[in-house]
Amino acid sequence: MTTATEGRELTEVGPGTVMGELMRQYWIPAAQSSELARDGAPVRLMLLGEKLIAFRDSAGRVGVMDHRCPHRCASLFLGRNEEGGIRCIYHGWKFDVAGNCVDMASVPPHQDFKHKVKAKAYPAVERAGVVWVYMGSSAKAPPLPAFEILDVPDDEVSVTFIQRECNYLQAIEGEIDTSHFGFLHAGHVDPDDVPEDDPVHHTITNRAPEYHITDAAWGTQYAAYRAAGPDSTYWRFANFLFPFWSQAPNGEFGSHVHARAWVPLDDGHTMFCFLRWKPGISALTQPQPAFKDGRPIGGTGRSNKFLPNTTDWLGRWRLVANASNDWGIDRAAQQSNAIYSGIDGIHLQDQAITESMGPVTDHAWEHLAPSDQMITRTRRRLLMAARALRDKGVMPPGAEDAEVFRGARSGYFVSDDKSSWQEIYARQLAEAVHPSPTPLRAAE
């Protein structure tokens, strides 16, 4: 059971909070590179409870800074992005991407003091089609995480952003809970309709997997297992990676190179950032099997429909189906068991469940089961790391040694190997397809 104090420590991410300070030790995916046009309009960003703007200057460099002009606090979102910087429209003061004041147009030259004024700006880099921001206080930014997906050329990476109206922890915990798959996504599928060689077969025939759980160098890991005949086991390995990343087992382990971030915008809103290697074999690259009466896993929906982006602080990458329309639930489809949940689409089903808990769920209402061990282990791992940073200055996993993330991979496979589960994982990882690492690992 999570106490009220622990719940606050885990879920509150604003400046000065225990978890907020932990997250500031890492690079944070903030926006898609395509959202920022050279000399184009600034974009409002909300990250860790801070109101920021992002813009791309005349040279193509990205700036991310507090939206308030340090002169009189007018919003730089209204500013003119021109000639290498953002100019406040109130008095014409101009700032470059590093926050340096480069022009005080309203001040006589002999009274100019621009060298003493600096906007609050954060370092920003681009990789894999994403703008990454470092919001920590260290003079030297940490390296980018050594995810395999950041090793591949940008044109081989698929990037998806989707906003979710709930706390980041609820979203992560939905990711690392594999036992819901056989119900929420596949409750309408009859095991007799699934071919034995289909990977989904084992999750349908046995909807109550058993687990191995452990702390890992990068965070936590689970191995869900089910019998796959008399001599084989169906494995689903997945990971939580500090501070808010997950790797889901929704692809073949040998080539499923991806990373999924659940970035806290504020305590009640999260941005899902999904980076996937296009050549990898996953649920998104394989034809969707249709079972009895043409009903596929998760329903017929394979894509997400978005509302137009707005300039609001929380106006980016919102789904058309949301709490205001009950996520498009079809009660007739639910009642007839055409779609178990009545909600069409795997991602949307997950989104509806975690958003239905409210912006920040009250953990005192929970009655956790043995199948929730990955959730409890991850909560404790996060909490202990945040407290160690606060109380002893101990840096959290991966903040300094980003290479620990390179050992993380997720996915499914069937094996007749009778070794320990850790040995099976290590052997599968060694035999997997690995994109060649690039020399650009540091946040240059």
Side-chain angles (χ1 to χ4, degrees):
M1 183 70 69
T2 301
T3 67
T5 298
E6 290 174 334
R8 288 192 297 272
E9 287 181 289
L10 283 164
T11 58
E12 294 177 355
V13 297
T17 62
V18 175
M19 200 56 61
E21 290 307 308
L22 178 141
M23 292 182 177
R24 283 168 170 76
Q25 308 310 311
Y26 302 85
W27 286 93
I28 298 172
Q32 293 191 32
S33 293
S34 59
E35 293 184 69
L36 304 178
R38 190 176 299 218
D39 283 340
V43 173
R44 285 190 174 110
L45 295 180
M46 179 80 79
L47 285 178
L48 304 184
E50 294 191 31
K51 293 181 176 179
L52 310 172
I53 62 157
F55 67 98
R56 190 183 299 277
D57 73 5
S58 307
R61 297 170 299 187
V62 172
V64 177
M65 62 183 65
D66 191 294
H67 83 107
R68 295 167 295 190
C69 175
H71 177 207
R72 296 275 298 281
C73 297
S75 181
L76 289 170
F77 171 74
L78 302 174
R80 297 166 57 94
N81 184 8
E82 58 186 22
E83 299 172 353
I86 190 84
R87 188 181 295 277
C88 181
I89 62 172
Y90 198 8
H91 296 92
W93 292 22
K94 186 177 179 181
F95 302 88
D96 66 14
V97 294
N100 300 306
C101 184
V102 295
D103 187 22
M104 284 185 168
S106 65
V107 177
H110 66 281
Q111 295 177 322
D112 188 295
F113 60 101
K114 59 179 175 287
H115 63 285
K116 296 183 179 181
V117 177
K118 190 176 178 69
K120 181 182 180 181
Y122 291 119
V125 298
E126 294 183 85
R127 182 70 58 79
V130 171
V131 174
W132 302 70
V133 179
Y134 173 62
M135 299 177 69
S137 58
S138 176
K140 182 179 180 181
L144 285 167
F147 298 143
E148 286 187 284
I149 191 61
L150 298 187
D151 291 336
V152 304
D154 287 3
D155 61 2
E156 293 184 16
V157 181
S158 170
V159 181
T160 302
F161 274 48
I162 303 176
Q163 187 177 155
R164 188 169 290 192
E165 294 185 11
C166 71
N167 187 261
Y168 82 97
L169 191 65
Q170 290 161 227
I172 287 175
E173 291 176 355
E175 276 280 286
I176 59 178
D177 165 21
T178 191
S179 66
H180 77 265
F181 185 92
F183 299 92
L184 179 64
H185 304 314
H188 57 274
V189 178
D190 188 328
D192 293 338
D193 296 331
V194 185
E196 290 188 8
D197 60 351
D198 191 298
V200 173
H201 175 80
H202 307 293
T203 62
I204 304 304
T205 55
N206 180 358
R207 289 182 162 97
E210 295 186 83
Y211 295 83
H212 297 297
I213 311 289
T214 190
D215 287 350
W218 53 80
T220 54
Q221 180 179 56
Y222 76 73
Y225 60 97
R226 302 167 169 90
D231 299 314
S232 297
T233 301
Y234 175 64
W235 294 96
R236 288 170 65 87
F237 279 86
N239 301 291
F240 159 75
L241 308 95
F242 275 87
F244 42 56
W245 293 87
S246 62
Q247 290 177 328
N250 57 350
E252 292 187 4
F253 189 94
S255 65
H256 191 34
V257 178
H258 75 296
R260 300 157 71 93
W262 303 92
V263 180
L265 306 184
D266 58 20
D267 290 345
H269 295 84
T270 300
M271 188 66 77
F272 171 51
C273 172
F274 181 20
L275 307 176
R276 177 181 60 83
W277 188 38
K278 294 176 183 178
I281 298 175
S282 72
L284 292 177
T285 61
Q286 293 294 87
Q288 188 178 27
F291 303 118
K292 187 176 182 180
D293 300 325
R295 297 173 295 176
I297 296 293
T300 59
R302 290 300 296 270
S303 61
N304 296 290
K305 297 179 180 178
F306 291 89
L307 295 169
N309 280 0
T310 72
T311 58
D312 297 342
W313 293 113
L314 298 167
R316 301 163 51 242
W317 307 114
R318 300 160 302 146
L319 294 182
V320 170
N322 54 60
S324 70
N325 51 38
D326 299 321
W327 302 277
I329 190 168
D330 184 338
R331 292 295 187 185
Q334 185 186 63
Q335 188 174 33
S336 68
N337 206 33
I339 301 176
Y340 180 81
S341 65
I343 297 170
D344 194 7
I346 288 179
H347 180 92
L348 185 57
Q349 289 162 1
D350 288 327
Q351 182 127 347
I353 287 297
T354 54
E355 290 184 342
S356 75
M357 300 173 184
V360 182
T361 191
D362 183 352
H363 298 294
W365 284 87
E366 295 176 328
H367 293 79
L368 300 179
S371 58
D372 298 314
Q373 292 178 69
M374 181 64 173
I375 290 171
T376 57
R377 178 68 69 97
T378 300
R379 288 180 188 175
R380 182 58 58 181
R381 189 89 158 97
L382 268 169
L383 194 58
M384 293 300 98
R387 288 175 176 173
L389 175 65
R390 178 194 64 190
D391 299 338
K392 301 177 182 179
V394 177
M395 294 298 287
E400 294 178 317
D401 180 12
E403 289 297 313
V404 302
F405 297 117
R406 195 173 295 282
R409 173 76 75 96
S410 71
Y412 55 75
F413 57 88
V414 175
S415 174
D416 59 3
D417 192 334
K418 304 304 179 185
S419 305
S420 71
W421 69 278
Q422 294 98 332
E423 291 173 326
I424 293 172
Y425 173 80
R427 192 168 294 118
Q428 290 285 329
L429 185 64
E431 296 173 356
V433 175
H434 296 277
S436 299
T438 69
L440 302 174
R441 177 51 46 198
E444 67 279 3

